[in-house]
Amino acid sequence: GVEFEVADAWDSHALVTLARDHPWDAIFIDVGGLSGGDGVLEAVALIRQLAASNPKCRSMVIKSLCMSDLSRTLFASNELLHPLQRRVDKVGFHD
């Protein structure tokens, strides 16, 4: 069977107790209302707290508008490296 627990994301004591008593394989977080200037920092702090309190967790999914907005501004490092590599190849520098 599947165990399912619901907790207030900001009740640290309850989260740590749940993690100790019922280690999770996956955590699903719905962080509504974090859209202010500190929303991203608060969401990241929550993720770090949950990861630290449950090191055996294999997957964490977060639903958050501020994190979604942040993700649209980020890109993978290989997207940075390919244009640089093309410039290096044009100039003729090689390892």
Side-chain angles (χ1 to χ4, degrees):
V2 175
E3 276 189 52
F4 184 82
E5 299 285 343
V6 177
D8 179 354
W10 308 112
D11 185 350
S12 299
H13 183 269
L15 291 173
V16 170
T17 301
L18 275 173
R20 183 189 64 227
D21 296 344
H22 307 282
W24 307 304
D25 289 328
I27 299 173
F28 298 88
I29 308 163
D30 183 355
V31 199
L34 288 181
S35 58
D38 293 335
V40 170
L41 296 175
E42 291 178 5
V44 170
L46 176 62
I47 292 167
R48 290 182 54 134
Q49 177 186 6
L50 291 171
S53 66
N54 193 1
K56 293 185 180 187
C57 179
R58 297 181 301 153
S59 177
M60 195 177 302
V61 178
I62 184 167
K63 178 184 166 231
S64 165
L65 180 60
C66 64
M67 294 299 285
S68 179
D69 291 345
L70 173 66
S71 72
R72 286 189 201 97
T73 67
L74 305 174
F75 47 91
S77 62
N78 63 344
E79 292 178 31
L80 281 174
L81 296 177
H82 291 296
L84 291 175
Q85 185 60 48
R86 281 192 291 268
R87 275 192 257 153
V88 167
D89 290 343
K90 255 186 186 178
V91 174
F93 294 111
H94 296 284
D95 288 340

